[in-house]
Amino acid sequence: MLSPRLVLGVFLGLLLVAPLVLPPFYVTLLNYIGLYAMVALGLVLLTGVGGLTSFGQAAFVGLGAYTTGLLTTATDLPGYLSWLAGSPWLALVVGLVFTAVVAIVLGSLTLK
């Protein structure tokens, strides 16, 4: 019997090696699968585990994706944002933080 930790470790190891041995099409496909899996897990946690109705999950996913995409591809950013241009990792962090801030503001307004 294989332990779940061993299976998870082998799976994560294969994901780390995949970009080195697979063609770009399959790497992009794995990225899409991972992104949609995170969206689906968020919805499952919200509706199934939390028992809540999802009114804005897709909006927050879209806000984070749009912010990350805009910061990654923009070439004419203002001076205070120019250090983000072209870096998908920094843009991802900023997109996550921006989405969290918007969620906190909207949540604090609607939960009062």
Side-chain angles (χ1 to χ4, degrees):
M1 183 85 180
L2 295 174
S3 72
R5 288 185 185 189
L6 177 66
V7 173
L8 181 62
V10 169
F11 177 71
L12 291 177
L14 287 174
L15 282 180
L16 286 174
V17 174
L20 302 174
V21 296
L22 291 176
F25 171 76
Y26 291 113
V27 174
T28 304
L29 190 62
L30 284 174
N31 284 336
Y32 287 147
I33 290 169
L35 288 171
Y36 292 137
M38 285 193 299
V39 172
L41 283 173
L43 189 59
V44 165
L45 285 173
L46 182 69
T47 58
V49 177
L52 302 172
T53 304
S54 173
F55 291 116
Q57 189 220 14
F60 292 125
V61 169
L63 182 64
Y66 183 77
T67 304
T68 302
L70 182 69
L71 290 176
T72 301
T73 59
T75 57
D76 55 347
L77 292 173
Y80 63 92
L81 290 176
S82 62
W83 57 278
L84 291 171
S87 173
W89 299 110
L90 290 175
L92 178 64
V93 171
V94 171
L96 289 171
V97 169
F98 180 66
T99 304
V101 168
V102 169
I104 288 170
V105 169
L106 287 176
S108 66
L109 291 174
T110 57
L111 292 176
K112 291 202 178 226

